[in-house]
Amino acid sequence: MEKCSLLLTAPPLVVLLVTALNPGDADPQRLPSNLTASAALKTAEAAAGAHPTAGGRAEEKKEEHLDCPPLGLESLRVDDSQIRASSSQRSGLGPQRGRLNIQSGIQDGDLYDGAWCAQFKDRQQWLEVDAVHPTLFTGVILQGRNSIWSWDWVETYKVQLSNDSVGWQTCMNGTTETIFKGNRDPETPVLGLLPTPTVARFIRINPQSWFSNGSICLRAEVLGCGLQDPADRSEHDPLSKDDLDFRHHSYMEMRKLMKSVREECPNITRIYTIGRSYMGLKLYVMEFSDNPGKHELGEPEFRYVAGMHGNEALGRELLLNLMQFLCKEYLKGNQRVVRLVTETRIHLLPSMNPDGYEAAYEKGSELAGWADGRYNFEGIDLNHNFPDLNNILWDAQEKAADASKVPNHYIPIPEYYTREDATVAPETRAVISWMQDIPFVLGANLHGGELVVTYPFDCTRDWAPQENTPTADDTFFRWLASVYASTHLVLSNPDRRVCHYEDFQSHNNIINGGAWHTVPGSMNDFSYLHTNCLELTVELSCDKFPHASELPAEWENNKESLLVYLEQVHRGIKGVVRDKVSRQGIADAIIKVDGHAHDIRSAADGDFWRLLNPGEYKVVVWAKGYFPSMRRCRVGMEPRPTICDFTLTEIPAQRLKEIHAKGGRVPQDHQLRVRALRLRKLRASTKAINRRREKQQLQPRGGSMKN
Ligand SMILES: [Zn+2]
C-alpha cells in the first residue's frame, strides 16, 4: 500500500497540524488565530468527503479524485510569486510558465513560452508551489510543453511536501519513494493522486525521467483543499450573493435546469429548439420576453450564443446563470430586469456544440486539455464554418466600376454552400436558419481561453495573417466591445496578468478580430454581412473550462457586463417603414445612413433598428416599388433609441410604364431574391441530409423537452 510518509497524513492530521505549524513555518498572520484541532479536522474531513450534491453515479466517481479543487495555477488564482523552481532555461521558460494549459507565443525564444523548463537535465530539478495556507494536498496534474518547435515532457516524477520550504519529505511507497507516472505526449494532462492526502503548505514536483530527446519541461496544476478556519467570515460569505446553480451541467442537467426556469417563470419564458447536433442532441434556446413566442412591433431582438467551441465551457454556465437570474429578479420586481424583459426579446443559446461539450465534460474541467471538445463531432471548427462573405463582397467591390454601388449588406450565401455534399456542420446550418427566422439586432458569441473582446471583421483582406480590418460600423463596434470589457471585473483590472502570451491591456482589452488573427468563415462576420445583427466575440477567461469552484466568482465577473451589453440593443435609431396609403409596414426596405457603407433592412412588419453612436444622421429609406424618402435623425447620449419612422409613397403603375417606355430601368431587388433562393436551397439540403442520417440508424440521443 502506497503512503506518503509525511508530516501530516489524514487521520493523525490534527495532532501534527498543531505541532508542525510553529510560528516559523507559516506566516502567522495568514493562519487563523483561533484554529482549533477539531475545527481543522472537520474542515479537512469536509474537504476530503464525498461530493455532497446529487449527480449521476458516474459523475460522483469521476469527481472523487478532484474533490479538492485546483489551487489555480491555470486560473491564475495562484500568483507568479507563489511559484519557484530549482533553475530555468531562460525567463520565458521560468516557473511562472509552469501552469496547466498555458499557451506559448509563436516565436522560438518567446518571452512567453509554453512551460517551465529546467536549465539542467538531472534529477535535482523541481517546481515549487506555495499554497500560502496549510492545505490538504490530494494530487498533481502534469502536462508537457506547448511548443511548435520542440517536444518536451516529464515521464516520471516524485512529489515532495514541506511546511517551511526548508525541510522536505518525499511521498513514500512503503520504504521506497513514490514514483508518479507523468506524460507520454506534450498535451494530454495526466492526474497523479497522492497515495494519502496530506497537509502541508509547500509542494514540489521533482522530475525523475523525461522524453529522451527533450529537456525537463512541464505545466502543472495542484489539487488541494485550503484548511481555513470555519469561523472565518470569508468561509461563510458566498462568492456570489445570487442563489444560482453554480456547477457544470451535462446536457441532461442543462435541459433540466432550463425546464425549471421555464416552470418558475412561465409568463416570460419559452424554450424552443433550432435543430440538432451531428449526434442528435437538440440545440435549445431559452427566450425571455413579456410576450414569449412573438415578435412585437418595434421591440428589438437580442441573442447570446455560447459553446460554439464545446470545451469553452464558461459561456454555457454563464448563460444558464443568466436565465436563472433574469427569472428570479423579474419575479422580485428588479426594475432593471423588468424593463429589459418588457422592452426586449432575448434569446439565449447556451450550447451551440453540445457534442463537443459532452466530450470535454466527460474528461472534466482539469483533464480535458486545451482542444478536446473544441470541434463538432465531425471535427469541424464551427467558427470557420460559416460562408466567407467577406471575400465575395471585396471581390465584387474590386471588379465594380463604382464600388459604392455594390450591395454592402444581406450578401447571399454562395451557391456551393447550399449543396448536400458541402462541408457544412448541422450546427452551423441550424444557426444560419435561426438567424434568418428572427430579426436579431445585436448579439454576442461567448468563447474562452483568453481575456479580450473582439469585433468584426475577423477575416482579413488578401489573406493577411493579421491586419486591422474594420467594418463600416467600426466606431460602434468599438463602443460595444468597450462596454463589455470595461465592466468585466477581471478585464477591467489594470493589474491583471496576461493569460498566455498576448497583452491586450494596451488595447483596452478590445481588438479587431483580423488584427488578432484572421478567421475566414466566422459567425461574427457572417452575421454582419448576411443579416442586420451586429455581433462580437467575448473571450471570457484564461481558463477555457474553469473548475466548478470558480463559477460563482466568474458569474460576478461577468454579471454586469452581460446585462449592460444587452442594454446596448436600445441605442441608435429605430422606427417603422410604412406605406403612405394603406399604413401597412413595408418589409425588406433598405435603410441607408449617410457616411456608413453598411445598410440594414426592415423586418417583416416594417420595423427596423439601426445601432449608431450619438450624432446627427441623414437617413434614406428605399423599398422596391416606392419613391425613396429621406430624414435627418439625431441620436443623443442617453441610453435609448431615437424614433425615426418613414412613410413611403408607391410609384404609380402608370409612371412605371412611362419609365419602361423611355427605356429607363426600374431598380430591382435582386439581392433579396438570390438571398432567399439560396436559403431555401440550404434548408432543402439540410432536410435531405437529416433524412439520410435517420435512415443510417444514427439514432438521436436525448429525449424531448415536452411535459
Ligand atoms: Zn473559442
Side-chain angles (χ1 to χ4, degrees):
M1 163 98 186
E2 286 192 318
K3 201 171 180 285
C4 273
S5 81
L6 187 60
L7 336 156
L8 313 161
T9 56
L13 156 122
V14 182
V15 183
L16 282 160
L17 178 67
V18 175
T19 52
L21 293 170
N22 62 58
D25 286 328
D27 179 354
Q29 297 222 289
R30 292 182 187 270
L31 270 179
S33 54
N34 54 350
L35 179 73
T36 62
S38 72
L41 180 61
K42 260 191 226 149
T43 316
E45 276 174 348
H51 209 273
T53 52
R57 215 172 304 146
E59 270 151 55
E60 272 169 33
K61 222 172 194 178
K62 187 189 73 187
E63 295 265 310
E64 239 165 53
H65 312 305
L66 300 173
D67 258 331
C68 280
L71 292 191
L73 275 82
E74 181 179 19
S75 72
L76 303 183
R77 190 179 283 273
V78 170
D79 208 61
D80 284 353
S81 66
Q82 289 170 255
I83 317 173
R84 298 199 308 144
S86 51
S87 69
S88 303
Q89 280 182 18
R90 51 187 170 77
S91 66
L93 292 165
Q96 79 285 357
R97 305 301 295 169
R99 300 169 179 275
L100 182 69
N101 283 328
I102 209 160
Q103 302 295 298
S104 67
I106 312 279
Q107 284 118 24
D108 197 8
D110 203 290
L111 189 61
Y112 300 107
D113 217 322
W116 160 64
C117 292
Q119 186 182 358
F120 311 104
K121 292 192 200 180
D122 61 40
R123 293 180 175 178
Q124 314 308 315
Q125 305 303 313
W126 45 261
L127 181 81
E128 176 183 316
V129 178
D130 176 2
V132 181
H133 302 284
T135 298
L136 180 76
F137 289 111
T138 57
V140 168
I141 295 170
L142 215 65
Q143 192 179 34
R145 173 182 179 182
N146 176 252
S147 167
I148 49 171
W149 307 101
S150 52
W151 272 19
D152 305 288
W153 61 83
V154 167
E155 292 180 341
T156 61
Y157 63 99
K158 294 180 189 171
V159 170
Q160 288 139 1
L161 297 160
S162 171
N163 281 335
D164 57 7
S165 175
V166 177
W168 289 90
Q169 302 274 354
T170 303
C171 280
M172 300 295 286
N173 179 8
T175 51
T176 55
E177 297 175 326
T178 307
I179 303 292
F180 291 84
K181 282 209 179 85
N183 302 107
R184 303 236 150 249
D185 65 64
E187 284 301 328
T188 312
V190 174
L191 171 68
L193 287 174
L194 303 199
T196 311
T198 308
V199 173
R201 174 175 155 177
F202 299 89
I203 186 166
R204 274 184 184 176
I205 297 162
N206 172 216
Q208 295 299 300
S209 64
W210 43 93
F211 174 57
S212 54
N213 291 327
S215 328
I216 299 179
C217 298
L218 62 86
R219 292 177 283 170
E221 183 59 89
V222 174
L223 305 179
C225 296
L227 294 191
Q228 269 155 9
D229 178 4
D232 189 347
R233 215 169 47 84
S234 65
E235 191 82 341
H236 298 288
D237 246 0
L239 290 161
S240 170
K241 291 204 168 64
D242 296 319
D243 178 24
L244 311 177
D245 188 17
F246 293 117
R247 64 195 167 103
H248 288 289
H249 294 79
S250 69
Y251 178 74
M252 299 303 271
E253 289 164 341
M254 176 183 82
R255 286 179 11 156
K256 214 170 126 192
L257 184 141
M258 289 175 76
K259 222 176 113 182
S260 77
V261 170
R262 191 189 60 180
E263 279 162 8
E264 206 177 326
C265 288
N267 298 330
I268 55 161
T269 60
R270 180 176 72 112
I271 297 170
Y272 64 96
T273 66
I274 59 168
R276 284 179 189 269
S277 71
Y278 186 85
M279 290 303 287
L281 299 183
K282 288 180 178 171
L283 307 181
Y284 288 113
V285 177
M286 174 71 85
E287 175 192 335
F288 278 87
S289 163
D290 57 343
N291 281 296
K294 318 192 236 302
H295 174 75
E296 294 171 77
L297 187 74
E299 198 168 300
E301 311 234 5
F302 179 97
R303 69 167 181 258
Y304 273 129
V305 174
M308 159 186 252
H309 292 145
N311 60 338
E312 294 167 17
L314 179 57
R316 170 190 179 110
E317 294 308 323
L318 288 176
L319 292 192
L320 296 179
N321 292 157
L322 183 62
M323 288 171 199
Q324 299 170 73
F325 179 82
L326 290 175
C327 168
K328 282 175 197 290
E329 294 298 307
Y330 183 90
L331 294 179
K332 273 194 226 162
N334 174 332
Q335 279 310 296
R336 186 184 190 187
V337 170
V338 170
R339 198 178 327 123
L340 260 180
V341 170
T342 312
E343 296 177 356
T344 328
R345 193 171 172 214
I346 303 163
H347 306 258
L348 308 175
L349 170 61
S351 187
M352 178 175 165
N353 175 9
D355 295 346
Y357 177 80
E358 291 296 293
Y361 178 83
E362 208 121 305
K363 296 197 172 169
S365 61
E366 303 344 294
L367 299 176
W370 192 247
D372 282 353
R374 174 188 178 91
Y375 309 101
N376 86 335
F377 190 84
E378 306 154 280
I380 297 174
D381 187 326
L382 300 181
N383 206 29
H384 295 245
N385 196 227
F386 286 79
D388 168 10
L389 305 183
N390 303 51
N391 282 292
I392 293 175
L393 171 68
W394 294 332
D395 286 351
Q397 286 173 339
E398 259 166 45
K399 280 181 197 137
D402 180 356
S404 69
K405 293 269 158 60
V406 174
N408 57 27
H409 70 291
Y410 265 41
I411 312 220
I413 57 179
E415 177 76 38
Y416 77 86
Y417 198 86
T418 64
R419 286 171 21 190
E420 277 184 46
D421 60 356
T423 310
V424 185
E427 296 85 359
T428 312
R429 291 170 181 271
V431 168
I432 290 177
S433 234
W434 182 44
M435 284 174 162
Q436 312 233 6
D437 285 339
I438 294 171
F440 291 114
V441 179
L442 179 64
N445 178 9
L446 306 182
H447 285 244
E450 249 305 344
L451 272 169
V452 67
V453 183
T454 79
Y455 52 91
F457 288 120
D458 292 331
C459 181
T460 60
R461 277 173 192 253
D462 306 321
W463 314 106
Q466 50 183 175
E467 189 170 74
N468 187 44
T469 314
T471 64
D473 287 285
D474 198 49
T475 57
F476 195 76
F477 268 122
R478 293 177 62 80
W479 160 260
L480 287 170
S482 300
V483 163
Y484 201 101
S486 62
T487 51
H488 185 281
L489 298 189
V490 180
L491 272 166
S492 62
N493 175 3
D495 299 324
R496 79 175 176 90
R497 209 200 93 141
V498 302
C499 284
H500 300 287
Y501 54 91
E502 281 171 298
D503 181 5
F504 294 108
Q505 295 197 52
S506 48
H507 309 257
N508 289 319
N509 300 302
I510 68 170
I511 191 169
N512 169 269
W516 187 15
H517 56 245
T518 186
V519 179
S522 85
M523 188 161 80
N524 289 172
D525 285 4
F526 177 78
S527 179
Y528 183 70
L529 291 176
H530 189 70
T531 77
N532 294 325
C533 183
L534 270 56
E535 184 188 62
L536 48 65
T537 289
V538 184
E539 298 283 350
L540 292 162
S541 67
C542 304
D543 184 348
K544 287 181 176 179
F545 200 147
H547 187 266
S549 60
E550 302 281 348
L551 294 176
E554 288 295 0
W555 165 247
E556 289 298 321
N557 290 340
N558 287 282
K559 179 163 96 177
E560 176 61 22
S561 310
L562 288 167
L563 292 173
V564 75
Y565 183 77
L566 221 163
E567 287 165 344
Q568 302 314 307
V569 76
H570 298 285
R571 287 214 175 249
I573 59 175
K574 73 170 190 178
V576 183
V577 182
R578 287 194 173 88
D579 180 292
K580 193 177 180 185
V581 178
S582 70
R583 305 302 297 168
Q584 290 291 310
I586 301 171
D588 297 312
I590 298 175
I591 290 92
K592 281 180 183 293
V593 176
D594 202 28
H596 283 246
H598 182 77
D599 307 335
I600 57 129
R601 299 261 186 168
S602 59
D605 302 331
D607 42 357
F608 73 91
W609 303 262
R610 183 65 175 90
L611 298 178
L612 291 164
N613 277 319
E616 177 106 25
Y617 299 96
K618 188 175 128 188
V619 184
V620 176
V621 169
W622 178 84
K624 193 181 162 190
Y626 289 87
F627 292 111
S629 167
M630 193 274 274
R631 272 193 70 175
R632 283 187 185 280
C633 306
R634 207 187 73 82
V635 176
M637 300 295 284
E638 64 283 353
R640 59 175 171 275
T642 300
I643 305 293
C644 209
D645 292 329
F646 286 83
T647 308
L648 302 189
T649 307
E650 212 169 349
I651 305 173
Q654 185 54 37
R655 180 75 201 281
L656 287 177
K657 268 187 202 156
E658 287 166 21
I659 295 172
H660 278 302
K662 283 184 191 156
R665 274 183 57 227
V666 177
Q668 294 290 316
D669 207 339
H670 287 301
Q671 182 115 5
L672 202 63
R673 215 167 40 82
V674 177
R675 184 177 178 272
L677 175 74
R678 298 263 171 85
L679 178 72
R680 273 202 302 279
K681 282 188 175 177
L682 182 76
R683 284 178 169 158
S685 70
T686 304
K687 236 184 216 166
I689 292 167
N690 288 347
R691 264 201 306 272
R692 204 167 53 231
R693 199 172 292 147
E694 273 162 34
K695 262 192 211 147
Q696 285 167 351
Q697 302 288 310
L698 206 115
Q699 290 298 331
R701 283 191 338 218
S704 98
M705 202 73 167
K706 285 194 193 101
N707 87 38

